[in-house]
Amino acid sequence: MTAVLPDKHGFFGTFGGQFVPETLMAALDEFERAYKQLKRDRAFRDELHDILGEFVGRPTPLTEARRFASLANGAFRLFLKREDLNHTGAHKINNAIGQALIAKRMGKQRVIAETGAGQHGVATATACALLGLQCVVYMGEVDMARQELNVFRMRLLGAEVVPVTSGSRTLKDAINEAIRDWVTNVRTTHYIIGSVLGPHPYPMIVRDFQSVIGREALAQLKKKTGALPDVAIACVGGGSNAIGLFYEMLPHPSIRMIGVEAGGRGAQLGEHAARFSGGALGVLHGTRSMVLQDEFGQIAETHSISAGLDYPSIGPEHAYLQEIGRVEYHDCSDDLALEAFHKLSESEGIIPALESSHALGWLLRNGQTIARDAVVVVNLSGRGDKDVPQVAAL
Amino acid sequence: MKRVETLFRRLKRERRCGLIAYVTCGDGDTGRIVDALARAGADAIELGIPFSDPIADGPVIQAASQRALQHGTTTHDVFAIARAIRALHADLPLIAFSYLNPILRYGARRFAHDACEAGIDAVLLTDLPPEAAAELRKELREEGLGAVFLLAPTSTDARIRAIDRASDGFVYYVSTTGVTGARRELDPSLLGRLDEVRAKLRHPIAVGFGISRHEHYELLREHCDAIVVGSAIVRAIGEGDADGAAERAANVVRGILDTAILDTASIAPVP
């Protein structure tokens, strides 16, 4: 299964594809060809491996969290995959470095990106600084206010941060604006999408660059426990950290996998970002997936305490994995995520990102259902430093 | 679909470059505005179905879509507008212009049926390339509606052929890499590129994005079968009182065709 998807048209079952203005079709094709060629290119692979090792700091540690596991009423063993210890503080850098390297090889000197929480923007700005590329980041005005520190970081790294004032002024609108820039400057510019979203080949390429997370975790768990994990949990906005953790585990049917969406403040449309319980099949930003929308196909606004999960659609491969029943998807409310944010900080000395806190929140509430001595791995996708001012202001 | 084909045959016979006018449905009194556009010389109308996330549109049409949605405009309203126009103009081609999601959500079959019943002739979706359109095209054709696809400056020869094959009535050439919006100057490579592309097509070619001035029409008229004017009209509709919107929109068309401009002062200058 893992080898054949997406199909040659970019579909995971009925999800995915390329639904973009004609102007971009040639660029998507160019990107896919470049990636397929570079994937087999020894020098490219060595360069990526070097940067991930010497600059990003991979492999990231796997930390056992005994005190948090007991707070979750569990008799299981809990391991945290420490993506928060990556340079720049989240898993986003894995993909940003990979795509920036491809951009450079394609001769594109200008890179654009969208960002929600700011982590992908910071990662892209960092990759561009490292590789000498020009960087422009689109960010919704609302997100700029709640993630002010990351705006400052991006500017320090030499990127131009463009405020997006249309629509809900969050991640969705930042992607709209980035696509408009790309349509205009497509000949000179590469668009680094930060999640497993957008038209083919993005969901595939971002997944491949993030799959290092699960690959390392499996090897580390084998060393520590001698076996495969029983449960893998990750939060899901677009879904790049989750697919990164899950992808290498998909061939092992004994591993239960759980994606946790943002339950926000309630079940009403506009109050959450739970695409599976509240969404319908739709097309947004170039891909067919589950989309939060009204009865006429207008995209709904979303709410989450975490900017990184505040998005009305979900990566098409997640929609597929949900449909075939391979991965379960649940949601975690703002309040529960916040509770987990505090509990992990106090019990383990690790301040998690509000995004990752959703995965921990689900575990906090459902830990008692997990079998005794089971091995659970949670992707701690980012660190919470960026969220401290927001939480302090609550 | 017949009305679109008849129009392009007539344009060929008359050796004339046509003008297709775009309006966002629900931004002002669309029925009255379209009536005025047709009387001012527009040969066909693109009826924009507003969408919350119009990635191919510049600020002017984005704002119009937002206004229309804030007024509560739905796909049903678009069909009501089309029926009202059809009652006044039996032969005026009407092309629904939108994004895929509102059509998917309405249901492809139901959309094709209701659009046909409302007197719409063809559908153009900016985010639907022909390779992903098989299902929708089948539903449209069963109701006698056409599908029009877009060509861009970045389209390869293979794509030009595929888009020509997939289109009904005409193909829409996007004049420049970019979003919709009035521009002072045309892309310098446009005329040469148009001649090259046109020679490869079986279908007539309409050119849109950025076209807003009489000079553009003069430059383009020998190189294409029709021009599309959108943002310049939409901006004129939005600037000023609601009562004058239809007349201001009509004046944009008159200005571009340069037929007796009645009130030059009401035409906003193009930046």
Side-chain angles (χ1 to χ4, degrees):
Chain A
M1 181 180 77
T2 55
V4 295
L5 291 177
D7 68 20
K8 68 177 160 102
H9 302 294
F11 281 95
F12 305 86
T14 56
F15 306 103
Q18 294 179 313
F19 299 92
V20 291
E22 171 65 19
T23 310
L24 298 180
M25 292 297 282
L28 293 175
D29 189 45
E30 179 192 11
F31 183 36
E32 185 178 3
R33 273 186 284 114
Y35 173 67
K36 286 193 162 151
Q37 189 223 319
L38 290 171
K39 206 163 76 160
R40 293 188 305 266
D41 180 308
R42 191 56 180 267
F44 177 84
R45 292 166 54 142
D46 287 350
E47 190 176 3
L48 177 61
H49 188 261
D50 263 16
I51 295 175
L52 290 179
E54 307 300 326
F55 181 76
V56 174
R58 302 208 71 90
T60 57
L62 187 77
T63 306
E64 183 155 13
R66 293 185 184 87
R67 281 163 48 77
F68 186 84
S70 66
L71 288 176
N73 301 313
F76 52 83
R77 292 186 75 185
L78 173 62
F79 294 90
L80 303 175
K81 180 59 176 159
R82 301 292 305 280
E83 292 301 297
D84 61 316
L85 292 179
N86 279 321
H87 180 44
T88 73
H91 71 291
K92 294 292 185 187
I93 191 83
N94 302 328
N95 166 58
I97 294 282
Q99 283 201 50
L101 278 173
I102 298 177
K104 197 160 184 180
R105 297 288 185 111
M106 289 193 298
K108 308 233 166 163
Q109 276 299 314
R110 181 173 180 270
V111 159
I112 57 173
E114 84 293 340
T115 198
Q119 289 304 110
H120 174 58
V122 168
T124 304
T126 300
C128 288
L130 176 72
L131 298 174
L133 299 167
Q134 187 196 341
C135 180
V136 177
V137 179
Y138 289 91
M139 188 169 188
E141 243 184 4
V142 169
D143 290 338
M144 284 179 75
R146 57 181 166 178
Q147 297 291 349
E148 212 180 348
L149 184 65
N150 274 342
V151 175
F152 189 60
R153 289 167 83 197
M154 286 184 269
R155 288 179 174 152
L156 276 176
L157 292 160
E160 181 191 347
V161 182
V162 181
V164 176
T165 57
S166 57
S168 57
R169 295 171 291 149
T170 60
L171 179 58
K172 161 180 91 83
D173 311 284
I175 296 179
N176 289 341
E177 232 23 72
I179 293 176
R180 291 182 188 119
D181 179 315
W182 202 30
V183 168
T184 307
N185 301 299
V186 61
R187 291 188 174 100
T188 58
T189 298
H190 177 64
Y191 177 19
I192 300 189
I193 293 183
S195 193
V196 285
L197 293 167
H200 177 69
Y202 283 100
M204 171 183 78
I205 293 176
V206 177
R207 173 197 72 195
D208 290 356
F209 284 134
Q210 293 294 1
S211 64
V212 64
I213 301 170
R215 196 158 47 246
E216 285 177 7
L218 283 176
Q220 290 165 320
L221 284 163
K222 185 152 196 217
K223 224 165 155 185
K224 286 177 196 266
T225 71
L228 291 168
D230 300 294
V231 185
I233 309 172
C235 65
V236 188
S240 69
N241 92 82
I243 218 82
L245 180 68
F246 297 161
Y247 188 60
E248 296 279 337
M249 300 183 184
L250 289 171
H252 304 289
S254 68
I255 305 176
R256 179 185 177 200
M257 291 188 255
I258 298 163
V260 184
E261 298 180 277
R265 296 182 288 229
Q268 216 185 329
L269 194 64
E271 295 296 306
H272 62 85
R275 287 66 48 103
F276 287 119
S277 54
L281 188 65
V283 167
L284 179 65
H285 296 144
T287 191
R288 182 153 67 199
S289 187
M290 298 303 287
V291 181
L292 291 166
Q293 54 185 309
D294 72 9
E295 61 173 312
F296 293 103
Q298 306 300 338
I299 307 306
E301 300 203 346
T302 51
H303 164 79
S304 171
I305 193 173
S306 83
L309 304 184
D310 206 350
Y311 181 71
S313 184
I314 187 166
E317 192 163 11
H318 286 290
Y320 172 74
L321 292 170
Q322 195 263 354
E323 191 184 62
I324 64 169
R326 181 64 190 92
V327 178
E328 336 166 6
Y329 294 85
H330 302 289
D331 51 65
C332 166
S333 69
D334 284 355
D335 288 346
L336 185 53
L338 207 54
E339 187 184 330
F341 176 89
H342 286 290
K343 285 201 164 146
L344 191 78
S345 304
E346 290 161 14
S347 65
E348 300 289 347
I350 299 169
I351 302 173
L354 282 174
E355 288 76 14
S356 324
S357 299
H358 284 69
L360 297 164
W362 183 87
L363 191 61
L364 213 47
R365 199 47 47 92
N366 296 279
Q368 78 282 358
T369 66
I370 292 171
R372 192 169 190 82
D373 300 325
V375 171
V376 177
V377 58
V378 170
N379 194 8
L380 200 72
S381 55
R383 69 178 83 135
D385 304 32
K386 69 183 173 58
D387 300 314
V388 169
Q390 189 194 349
V391 172
L394 284 174
Chain B
M1 196 54 219
K2 278 210 188 74
R3 282 181 281 254
V4 174
E5 287 163 349
T6 305
L7 169 65
F8 280 99
R9 272 202 302 274
R10 200 180 80 223
L11 290 171
K12 186 155 259 167
R13 207 166 52 236
E14 294 173 4
R15 296 168 169 280
R16 182 163 72 82
C17 175
L19 185 147
I20 302 173
Y22 168 93
V23 287
T24 300
C25 288
D27 180 35
D29 182 348
T30 306
R32 221 181 112 212
I33 290 165
V34 169
D35 182 44
L37 289 168
R39 288 172 197 279
D43 295 290
I45 303 293
E46 284 181 2
L47 290 175
I49 303 175
F51 179 49
S52 55
D53 295 82
I55 53 170
D57 284 302
V60 171
I61 294 179
Q62 282 177 48
S65 304
Q66 277 309 113
R67 286 195 296 268
L69 291 173
Q70 270 157 15
H71 298 153
T73 308
T74 69
T75 315
H76 297 309
D77 299 321
V78 173
F79 293 144
I81 288 166
R83 274 194 298 274
I85 298 166
R86 184 54 73 221
L88 293 176
H89 299 274
D91 299 323
L92 182 68
L94 297 178
I95 300 150
F97 184 102
S98 192
Y99 293 81
L100 180 56
N101 202 55
I103 280 72
L104 270 187
R105 186 69 170 144
Y106 197 86
R109 173 167 296 177
R110 179 172 165 234
F111 183 89
H113 176 271
D114 292 358
C116 173
E117 184 269 336
I120 288 170
D121 301 291
V123 176
L124 195 165
L125 303 174
T126 54
D127 58 351
L128 183 66
E131 45 274 76
E135 196 192 323
L136 180 64
R137 272 179 64 200
K138 183 175 148 279
E139 300 294 352
L140 292 175
R141 283 193 181 159
E142 273 178 20
E143 297 287 349
L145 267 76
V148 177
F149 293 96
L150 297 114
L151 272 173
T154 51
S155 300
T156 57
D157 275 1
R159 295 194 62 80
I160 291 171
R161 282 192 299 275
I163 286 161
D164 188 30
R165 267 198 307 276
S167 290
D168 301 306
F170 69 103
V171 295
Y172 185 125
Y173 187 80
V174 176
S175 74
T176 181
T177 54
V179 293
T180 60
R183 291 166 176 82
R184 178 166 282 276
E185 306 285 344
L186 295 176
D187 191 318
S189 63
L190 175 60
L191 297 183
R193 180 73 178 147
L194 261 183
D195 292 344
E196 202 183 298
V197 170
R198 198 182 189 188
K200 291 172 185 153
L201 299 179
R202 292 181 316 178
H203 283 105
I205 187 168
V207 182
F209 283 41
I211 297 162
S212 55
R213 300 158 66 89
H214 178 65
E215 296 91 304
H216 299 163
Y217 179 64
E218 284 298 320
L219 277 169
L220 284 165
R221 61 195 300 171
E222 302 295 323
H223 301 270
C224 63
D225 300 285
I227 58 165
V228 184
V229 181
S231 294
I233 291 171
V234 171
R235 189 174 49 203
I237 291 167
E239 279 176 355
D241 59 35
D243 281 349
E247 195 48 31
R248 290 194 300 275
N251 274 342
V252 173
V253 170
R254 291 189 197 103
I256 287 169
L257 297 174
D258 203 14
T259 51
I261 300 173
L262 298 179
D263 179 11
T264 44
S266 71
I267 300 177
V270 176

